[in-house]
Amino acid sequence: MILVTHHEPDPNREDLTPAVRTLEDAREALAATTLPLELPGADADRRRIKETLAQLDDYILPRYRSLDAPLLAVVGGSTGAGKSTLVNALVGWPVTRAGAIRPTTRQPILLHHPEDAEWFRGQRILPGLGRIHATVSQEPMPASQAGASPDAQAVSSLVLVGHPNVPRGIALLDAPDVDSISDDNRRLAGQLLAAADLWVFVTTANRYADAVPWRLLLDAASRDITVAVVLDRVPAEAEEEVRTDLQAMLHRQGLGAAQLFVVRETTLDAMGMLPADAASELQAWLSELAADAAARSGVARRTLNGAVKAISSRFEEIAAAAAEQDAADRQLRTACTDEYGAALSRILEATKDGALLRGEVLARWQDFVGTGEFFRAVEQNIGRFRDRVSAFFRGEPAPAIKVETAIETGLQAVILDEAANAAENVDRRWRADPAGRQLLGTDDLAGTSPGFDARAAAAIRAWQEGLMDLIRTQGQGKRTQARWLSFGVNGLGAALMVVVFSMTAGLTGLEIGIAGGTAVVGQRLLEAVFGEDAVRRLAHQAREDLHTTCQRLLDGERGRFLDKLDGMQSGDGVDLHPHATSLRRLAGAA
């Protein structure tokens, strides 16, 4: 019986050697790599990252830091294969629970020689698992009652047991079933096997060809792990046939160097123990290995070399997956940039080709400047033109306000329409992409955001107010001030807007817009107050400010999409390829 005494987490780090520094750098880069976008195969790649980090933390880094530590032999296999019974036989005492109730091994038990306790007391290996120190009862008891009681919540801890019958220089870890009905048990079994220097893989005469054990054995072959296969409960009359068949399978799958041990079918004693000599061959092999420092070092280095080679390949695969994520991210961002950029271009085009001066805006402008008699005044000398306009504007601010309001309404309609079109197009393009579909989920972004119409109207009014400030600033001189005061700031502002919205050829010519000289009237009015060069500067600044205003409005709408991408931490900028190369070199030197 094992008596639990206490938990003792004890993180342990030693000085970094060049090899460990290479591994630490690679681990840091891998930990910074996430694959947030739902691309095909992304789930498998995320699991690959998690498993590789676990392999580094649980085995590779600890072994590189402590090459002379005892070997860890993990005893694993299928449900009911007799792993715990075999471990009890190797120790010669019921130290781990065996029986017919499945699963019997939930909490992994690590058996070591008492003088090797220092190697396992801290968190050197399997740092993610807690430590429970235990002792073995001196009173014999049935194997069905030995060890820790099955506990579904105990799979996050490792029970440490010192026993003098375990050879010094090697530790045995009784692992849960690799095909357990418990998901947690299966995951833990895989984690423990990945942390092993060598595997003692237990199967039976009836199940040695099962798929699950062979998947793990093939993984061992790919990583060049030292494997001992125990064929358990073999009827004497079938031993030769089964042994020959299993050896042939091992050779075909690249595991010809695996040690093969046979435990014949036999009756357990009253304590649930195998006869003393049932596992003697395996026991002798482990003892010889434990006693030979050079052999132990060879096993550790071979397994370590294979593990590093395996993770170097994983780094390449993960780097490729990260590159796919970056490409998908760029593609989704490009969809936003393209569609909202096109929307901005269409808005600005509509503000300079005269289109906004039709309809209501034109009617309000004509109300403002008067009848055809006013237009004819444009043809007269500039002094008379100024006098007539001054007389017209005094005391009449309301018509200019109506022009501003009509321009605000027309411009707002264009902005709302183009922003909605851009949102619909981005939404369509994102939903055609698996990553975009995942980011959008059930959110409906195929339209403008709530309150956008009010924000657009406020932005336009702010732009119009900015034009008034430009006019006030431009009219600071005393002579000019008298002129613009007589015309009114709102009247001059309305004229500037009309000029801005009728510019089809840039600022060099202030080309005529539409509607029978509409732009000419506004241009001449402004020139009468400020002069031709000043009008060019005013129009240029007004258009730049309008561009900025529209850009900010659309940037806010585009941000609804980009925020979803920005919220996904993708580890952008982390390149794993150099680390994969360094790991391959390290494996070659191991």
Side-chain angles (χ1 to χ4, degrees):
M1 177 180 182
I2 293 178
L3 306 176
V4 175
T5 54
H6 64 281
H7 289 263
E8 186 183 341
D10 179 25
N12 177 36
R13 276 187 64 130
E14 301 178 13
D15 292 338
L16 299 183
T17 65
V20 173
R21 190 172 295 110
T22 295
L23 291 165
E24 291 275 13
D25 291 345
R27 190 208 179 281
E28 182 180 356
L30 183 61
T33 302
T34 59
L35 308 173
L37 300 178
E38 289 300 332
L39 300 179
D43 282 341
D45 290 322
R46 292 183 198 116
R47 286 194 300 272
R48 190 172 287 116
I49 291 175
K50 185 176 180 181
E51 290 167 359
T52 305
L53 288 172
Q55 177 87 80
L56 283 162
D57 292 340
D58 292 346
Y59 177 69
I60 296 175
L61 279 164
R63 176 50 75 187
Y64 259 104
R65 292 188 182 112
S66 306
L67 289 170
D68 55 343
L71 294 180
L72 180 62
V74 174
V75 182
S78 303
T79 301
K83 300 182 299 299
S84 297
T85 301
L86 178 66
V87 170
N88 287 336
L90 291 172
V91 178
W93 194 261
V95 291
T96 183
R97 183 164 302 204
I101 304 301
R102 305 295 174 210
T104 50
T105 304
R106 287 185 182 273
Q107 199 167 22
I109 297 177
L110 191 152
L111 295 149
H112 58 81
H113 191 279
E115 294 183 17
D116 285 338
E118 62 180 293
W119 292 108
F120 304 104
R121 185 175 292 119
Q123 306 296 108
R124 183 183 63 86
I125 60 168
L126 297 162
L129 298 180
R131 296 295 191 267
I132 298 176
H133 296 274
T135 57
V136 178
S137 171
Q138 299 304 308
E139 297 297 325
M141 63 172 46
S144 60
Q145 299 175 25
S149 301
D151 180 0
Q153 304 303 315
V155 295
S156 62
S157 296
L158 192 63
V159 178
L160 303 178
V161 180
H163 197 284
N165 289 354
V166 179
R168 189 174 183 188
I170 197 166
L172 300 175
L173 200 162
D174 186 15
D177 303 330
V178 297
D179 56 355
S180 172
I181 58 174
S182 164
D183 291 342
D184 288 339
N185 275 9
R186 288 198 308 276
R187 281 193 292 269
L188 180 58
Q191 179 184 5
L192 297 176
L193 286 168
D197 291 299
L198 66 92
W199 290 6
V200 177
F201 205 85
V202 185
T203 187
T204 65
N206 295 327
R207 301 188 59 186
Y208 68 86
D210 286 0
V212 172
W214 274 101
R215 279 202 298 270
L216 290 168
L217 287 170
L218 291 175
D219 181 53
S222 71
R223 289 191 279 145
D224 207 22
I225 295 175
T226 300
V227 177
V229 178
V230 178
L231 192 57
D232 195 17
R233 295 201 294 270
V234 180
E237 65 276 11
E239 179 179 345
E240 188 61 31
E241 179 184 355
V242 174
R243 178 197 286 269
T244 301
D245 188 42
L246 179 53
Q247 279 183 326
M249 292 179 67
L250 290 170
H251 275 282
R252 286 196 300 270
Q253 300 299 338
L255 287 162
Q259 298 287 327
L260 177 58
F261 300 93
V262 174
V263 177
R264 290 180 179 175
E265 189 172 42
T266 187
T267 302
L268 302 179
D269 66 18
M271 304 301 290
M273 298 284 291
L274 287 167
D277 62 347
S280 59
E281 289 186 10
L282 174 61
Q283 191 175 45
W285 179 74
L286 290 172
S287 296
E288 289 174 8
L289 182 60
D292 187 340
R296 289 201 318 272
S297 177
V299 168
R301 288 183 179 279
R302 174 182 169 183
T303 301
L304 189 56
N305 181 64
V308 174
K309 280 199 300 187
I311 68 165
S312 70
S313 296
R314 287 185 182 179
F315 266 67
E316 292 286 3
E317 294 168 352
I318 296 166
E324 290 178 4
Q325 292 265 327
D326 290 341
D329 182 285
R330 287 193 299 272
Q331 184 171 326
L332 293 174
R333 291 181 188 276
T334 297
C336 293
T337 302
D338 288 350
E339 297 299 340
Y340 279 97
L344 177 63
S345 296
R346 290 191 295 268
I347 291 169
L348 295 178
E349 188 63 31
T351 64
K352 66 181 182 181
D353 65 0
L356 278 173
L357 298 183
R358 297 184 176 91
E360 183 70 14
V361 175
L362 178 60
R364 299 287 75 79
W365 174 249
Q366 289 179 331
D367 287 345
F368 175 54
V369 298
T371 61
E373 182 181 354
F374 183 88
F375 283 100
R376 286 191 292 274
V378 174
E379 305 302 327
Q380 308 298 321
N381 67 69
I382 194 67
R384 293 180 57 195
F385 172 72
R386 185 183 305 123
D387 293 339
R388 294 171 70 98
V389 173
S390 298
F392 178 81
F393 277 120
R394 277 194 294 270
E396 296 289 341
I401 298 298
K402 291 180 180 179
V403 175
E404 294 174 21
T405 302
I407 287 175
E408 174 192 327
T409 301
L411 181 55
Q412 180 190 23
V414 172
I415 293 173
L416 291 177
D417 187 48
E418 293 299 345
N421 288 338
E424 183 177 356
N425 290 339
V426 173
D427 184 88
R428 173 179 50 78
R429 290 174 65 173
W430 275 36
R431 291 194 184 279
D433 184 289
R437 256 194 322 274
Q438 172 248 340
L439 287 174
L440 289 174
T442 59
D443 293 347
D444 182 9
L445 302 186
T448 57
S449 60
F452 180 68
D453 53 347
R455 291 194 297 276
I460 295 167
R461 287 193 295 273
W463 173 71
Q464 291 174 326
E465 290 167 5
L467 296 191
M468 306 307 168
D469 290 339
L470 284 175
I471 288 170
R472 292 188 187 95
T473 301
Q474 187 65 38
Q476 291 300 314
K478 290 184 179 180
R479 284 186 60 198
T480 306
Q481 189 176 43
R483 296 175 185 171
W484 68 260
L485 285 175
S486 65
F487 293 153
V489 174
N490 290 94
L492 295 175
L496 182 55
M497 290 178 217
V498 167
V499 170
V500 169
F501 289 161
S502 60
M503 292 165 53
T504 59
L507 295 171
T508 57
L510 289 176
E511 299 288 339
I512 293 176
I514 59 169
T518 299
V520 172
V521 174
Q523 177 182 343
R524 293 298 171 82
L525 173 58
L526 293 169
E527 289 175 354
V529 177
F530 302 115
E532 184 176 348
D533 289 341
V535 172
R536 292 178 187 279
R537 289 194 299 273
L538 285 170
H540 175 77
Q541 186 62 54
R543 175 154 289 282
E544 288 294 312
D545 291 347
L546 179 61
H547 183 286
T548 300
T549 296
C550 295
Q551 180 75 68
R552 286 174 179 168
L553 284 169
L554 293 181
D555 283 349
E557 291 296 282
R558 182 179 61 175
R560 297 179 301 150
F561 293 94
L562 295 183
D563 286 348
K564 292 185 175 294
L565 277 170
D566 293 339
M568 310 290 278
Q569 298 301 316
S570 63
D572 188 33
V574 177
D575 185 3
L576 297 180
H577 289 293
H579 296 287
T581 300
S582 298
L583 291 172
R584 282 196 301 274
R585 290 173 182 161
L586 183 61

